[in-house]
Amino acid sequence: MAVKVQQVLEILEQIAPPELACSWDNVGLLVDAGRPVTSIMTALDITADVVRDAAESGCELIVSHHPVIFDPLRRVTAEDVPAMLLQNGISAICMHTNLDAAEGGVNDCLARKLGLQDAEPFNEEKIGRIGTISCEKPLEEFLQDVVKLLGCRGLRYHSGERPVRRVAVGGGACGEYIQRVIDLGCDTFVTSDLGYHDFLDTQGLNLIDAGHFPTENVVCEELVRRLSEAFPTI
């Protein structure tokens, strides 16, 4: 049974209200192909390969985290992803910083995946989460947990020479919050896209760069679950 794209958008905006998005962000129904929806694909990014996979699978809608249109469009060619979506009759709904901040969104999924208990936002934007693991453990053991639980192919880290118990997580690039999590008494911070000076200058904090994809892709499975509940025939 087909549903309208707008019906799916309404459910997704209940999950991640657009008003939670940062002012610079671009979220919502970014490509509308005008077709009813019988099948949905979820993805972290809408790339050319993802569009081809969706077309081969008969999907009329892709729900992604990263916006498929971000900067103001000046020119579109047939090879550009937005054009590919329209050529294949596929719509795109993107939920970015609003899904980072939303209850049950990226950061709650990341905190849950790493076993954080009583996780709560660590800033006004509600981008990251702070919680406590069930028992204190050495950093080396926690690093192995991160690799296994997030499916990392590798990671970079700086040892603060402290055991792990009070942990902050920030899906994607959240290095700007390093001082914030230190001030809140965390011993460990899991995020991504950290720079040379982030590692060099940070003291007294176990700093873990687990990769942009692994720290955010955890939300895709949750989106599948929520959409399946809302639209059991899709």
Side-chain angles (χ1 to χ4, degrees):
M1 178 180 175
V3 301
K4 296 179 179 179
V5 171
Q6 287 292 337
Q7 292 176 269
V8 181
L9 179 64
E10 289 174 7
I11 293 297
L12 291 173
E13 288 186 341
Q14 293 174 23
I15 295 171
E19 56 266 25
L20 293 178
C22 294
S23 59
W24 48 262
D25 209 354
N26 189 26
V27 301
L29 178 58
L30 302 191
V31 177
D32 187 356
R35 293 176 64 194
V37 178
T38 63
S39 184
I40 303 172
M41 174 177 284
T42 64
L44 193 65
D45 298 274
I46 304 180
T47 63
D49 283 340
V50 168
V51 176
R52 284 189 281 267
D53 286 345
E56 291 174 3
S57 302
C59 296
E60 300 91 358
L61 173 63
I62 301 175
V63 176
S64 77
H65 181 44
H66 294 138
V68 68
I69 300 172
F70 198 74
D71 293 323
L73 282 177
R74 296 180 181 272
R75 179 172 175 269
V76 177
T77 70
E79 290 76 29
D80 291 329
V81 170
M84 290 181 62
L85 286 165
L86 291 173
Q87 289 164 6
N88 287 280
I90 301 172
S91 299
I93 297 174
C94 305
M95 303 185 297
H96 193 208
T97 50
N98 53 327
L99 190 58
D100 287 325
E103 183 177 345
V106 171
N107 285 290
D108 279 333
C109 288
L110 179 57
R112 187 164 55 245
K113 196 76 169 179
L114 293 180
L116 272 60
Q117 300 173 350
D118 302 320
E120 58 184 11
F122 63 59
N123 57 30
E124 292 181 359
E125 298 85 3
K126 300 182 180 180
I127 296 297
R129 299 290 185 270
I130 288 178
T132 305
I133 60 174
S134 59
C135 62
E136 184 176 283
K137 61 181 61 177
L139 174 61
E140 292 74 15
E141 183 179 341
F142 185 72
L143 291 171
Q144 294 175 10
D145 292 343
V146 172
V147 169
K148 179 179 179 182
L149 294 170
L150 300 186
C152 304
R153 294 183 179 180
L155 52 74
R156 300 182 300 148
Y157 74 95
H158 163 79
S159 173
E161 309 210 356
R162 301 172 64 185
V164 178
R165 186 66 192 276
R166 187 70 170 160
V167 180
V169 297
C174 289
E176 64 193 279
Y177 301 114
I178 290 174
Q179 189 58 52
R180 175 66 175 166
V181 302
I182 292 174
D183 293 343
L184 290 172
C186 292
D187 50 66
T188 304
F189 187 22
V190 181
T191 185
S192 76
D193 297 359
L194 297 172
Y196 172 80
H197 286 284
D198 292 323
F199 288 107
L200 183 67
D201 299 338
T202 300
Q203 303 296 321
L205 178 72
N206 301 317
L207 191 57
I208 302 172
D209 186 332
H212 203 116
F213 182 87
T215 59
E216 291 189 330
N217 195 54
V218 289
V219 79
C220 287
E221 186 176 346
E222 176 66 7
L223 287 175
V224 170
R225 186 187 71 80
R226 299 285 291 272
L227 287 168
S228 296
E229 286 181 354
F231 303 103
T233 61
I234 292 184

